[in-house]
């Protein structure tokens, strides 16, 4: 019987150690919630530079969740063109595929995932050409197509750089 | 109680207690090692179809969408529909989706359901919460303890001074070969 108690004591010690830090984290979360900017995806994307690195909250419908691990999902707003990628933060495991088609509210930090300009495109083209021998033809063609699409998007936006933003999600709620 | 008896008791009891956890990590370990070859979390089926007639975008409403769902699924599974692009209609279902090119009538339905056992094992493998992380850390420590106590369970020619020594050395050499000569 004594042995059993010793065995159960180990996890209990861990529980009591972590309980305090859990309460602290909850308090921090409550404080953070008070400073969150709540806006539509359209508003967020239109003024992304202002919200970079800040906590934001958006509402939308889940269009797609990555089926290999759920490490990203795409959410659209009132218009299908207003779409943003969401990734889980370090405290969140993944998103479930069942979220597709659900209305959700996402909270997290806006980060710039990719900045595309002519230098970036030239560098990527050079990298692809140098790896031509190793990569298979299909993969190479796919990546070249992606670069061509990025170039089209860059030209269409009329700016020198084209930024892609993601929200690093700390919390989300599915609206039933 | 001599040290061999304590060693045996630790090895036995930790072994019993962590059997389920070992199986969870073993299953998900194999599953996640082969992510390129299969989807360990979901069973996905897709089927192509062609609709003989599709109304213009402005005439597509929920009633028409529900009639389409009736052809392939249960209309109770309907969640929502929208037009991701002018000529594409996407219908969300509980457990899948339907995508239709409204110009050509070509479409496909994708049904998704969780892969039993593997979904749950993989979910735990990805550390879903703080408490599980603590438990997994304890388990990792217990695995090390199981390995060390395992060396000293048997005495004699099959123990660590005989056959056990050779097998233990072989087990050390294998990762070293991979580290320095293969990878």
């Amino acid at each position: 019987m004594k042995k059993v108690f010793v065995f159960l004591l180990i996890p209990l010690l861990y529980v009591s150690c972590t309980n305090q830090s859990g309460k602290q984290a909850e308090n921090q979360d409550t404080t953070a919630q008070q400073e969150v900017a709540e806006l539509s995806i359209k508003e967020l994307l239109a003024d992304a530079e202002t919200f970079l690195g800040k906590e934001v909250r958006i509402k939308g419908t889940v269009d797609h969740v990555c089926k290999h691990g759920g490490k990203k999902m795409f959410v659209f707003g009132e218009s299908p063109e207003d779409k943003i990628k969401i990734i889980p933060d370090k405290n969140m495991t993944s998103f479930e595929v069942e979220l597709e088609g659900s209305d959700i509210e996402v909270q997290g930090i806006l980060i710039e995932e990719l900045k595309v300009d002519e230098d970036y495109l030239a560098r990527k083209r050079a990298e692809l050409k140098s790896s031509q021998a190793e990569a298979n033809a299909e993969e190479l063609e796919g990546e070249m197509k992606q670069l061509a699409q990025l170039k089209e998007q860059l030209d269409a936006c009329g700016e020198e750089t084209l930024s892609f933003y993601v929200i690093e999600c700390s919390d989300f709620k599915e609206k039933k | 109680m001599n040290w061999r008896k304590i060693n045996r008791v630790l090895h036995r009891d930790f072994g019993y207690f962590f059997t389920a956890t070992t199986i969870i990590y073993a299953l998900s370990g194999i599953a996640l090692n082969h992510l390129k070859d299969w989807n360990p979390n979901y069973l996905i089926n897709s089927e192509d179809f062609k609709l003989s007639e599709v109304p213009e975008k402005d005439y597509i409403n929920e009633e028409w969408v529900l009639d389409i769902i009736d052809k392939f699924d249960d209309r109770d599974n309907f969640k929502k529909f929208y037009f991701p692009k002018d000529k594409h209609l996407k219908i969300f279902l509980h457990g899948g989706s339907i995508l239709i090119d409204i110009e050509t009538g070509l479409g496909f339905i994708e049904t998704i359901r969780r892969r039993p056992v593997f979904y749950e094992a993989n979910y735990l493998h990805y550390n879903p919460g703080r408490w599980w992380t603590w438990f997994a850390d304890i388990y990792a420590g217990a695995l090390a303890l199981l390995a060390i106590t395992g060396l000293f369970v048997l005495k004699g020619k099959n123990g660590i001074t005989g056959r056990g020594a050779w097998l233990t050395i072989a087990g050390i050499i294998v990762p070293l070969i991979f580290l320095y000569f293969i990878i």
Side-chain angles (χ1 to χ4, degrees), chain A residues 91-159:
Chain A
N91 297 316
M92 197 175 276
T93 318
S94 57
F95 304 116
E96 288 170 357
V97 169
E98 287 87 342
L99 283 172
E100 284 186 3
S102 296
D103 293 329
I104 62 164
E105 196 175 295
V106 176
Q107 186 170 319
I109 292 171
L110 184 73
I111 52 177
E112 190 177 45
E113 188 186 35
L114 180 66
K115 197 172 212 167
V116 177
D117 56 15
E118 290 296 346
D119 286 347
Y120 171 86
L121 291 172
R123 203 172 56 244
K124 280 285 164 191
R125 273 189 218 107
E127 276 174 21
L128 279 182
K129 273 178 193 162
S130 65
S131 65
Q132 213 159 5
E134 296 160 26
N136 73 52
E138 207 175 308
E139 258 178 47
L140 204 69
E141 200 187 311
E143 286 184 44
M144 279 298 197
K145 221 180 238 179
Q146 273 183 356
L147 280 184
Q149 278 172 357
L150 283 176
K151 169 75 177 147
E152 269 176 35
Q153 282 177 273
L154 180 63
D155 291 344
C157 82
E159 303 282 336

Side-chain angles (χ1 to χ4, degrees), chain B residues 54-62 64-65 81 83 89 102:
Chain B
V54 181
E56 282 181 26
K57 186 180 169 184
D58 292 344
Y59 295 96
I60 292 176
N61 53 24
E62 192 169 317
W64 184 84
V65 168
F81 75 92
F83 298 91
L89 165 68
I102 55 177

